[in-house]
């Protein structure tokens, strides 16, 4: 038995006018703090990569979405480390008798450039999902300056996962 899941997440960048010290700003993507003149607006750490991935995992087993599991109205989730969230979600998957085959993630943004952070992002995800790094793909693309990602107003991420029943392995 195999199951496929898809997740999409978007976070907007902060208004540059509200940023006092651009040198200290960063975005957190797959647990990696990547320097960028403006951070992402979020109730949690704004890790748009891990949110899309967690939604894909939940979607594969029709377990709802991270908004239901981690409501942003709950103060306990303020500033939440999304790697904690991801590991919690993956625990649910394991308890349902499934585990990850592979994940393929596409990050859509003009900036920051992600190539030199790719290995660190994949390493974090592989660690959290207890799998080999070659089961985790992270790709980055621009949208040719079109749309909100092209105007550098935010980052969008799409994630697809394949799960298989643990008993069959
Ligand atoms: Zn999110």
């Amino acid at each position: 038995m195999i199951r496929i899941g898809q997740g999409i997440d978007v976070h907007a960048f902060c208004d540059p006018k509200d940023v006092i010290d651009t040198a200290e700003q960063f975005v957190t993507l797959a647990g990696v703090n990547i320097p960028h003149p403006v951070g992402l607006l979020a109730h949690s750490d704004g890790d748009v990569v891990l949110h899309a991935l967690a939604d894909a995992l939940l979607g594969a087993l029709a377990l709802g979405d991270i908004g239901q599991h981690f409501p942003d109205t709950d103060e306990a989730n303020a500033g939440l480390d999304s790697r904690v969230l991801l590991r919690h979600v993956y625990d649910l998957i394991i308890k349902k008798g499934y585990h990850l085959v592979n994940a393929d993630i596409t990050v859509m943004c003009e900036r920051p450039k992600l190539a030199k952070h790719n290995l660190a992002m994949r390493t974090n995800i592989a660690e959290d999902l207890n799998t080999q790094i070659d089961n985790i793909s992270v790709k980055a693309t621009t949208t040719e300056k079109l749309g909100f990602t092209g105007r550098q107003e935010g980052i969008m991420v799409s994630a697809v996962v394949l799960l298989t029943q643990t008993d069959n392995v």
Side-chain angles (χ1 to χ4, degrees), residues 86-112:
L86 179 65
R87 289 193 289 260
H88 175 87
V89 165
Y90 197 54
D91 273 348
L92 297 177
I93 303 300
I94 295 295
K95 285 188 181 121
K96 290 279 181 184
Y98 283 80
H99 68 273
L100 183 81
V101 177
N102 72 306
D104 186 17
I105 298 163
T106 304
V107 184
M108 285 156 266
C109 62
E110 297 289 330
R111 294 267 187 286

Side-chain angles (χ1 to χ4, degrees), residues 14 33 62 69 83 87 98:
C14 301
N33 289 341
H69 290 267
R83 292 187 69 184
R87 289 193 289 260
Y98 283 80

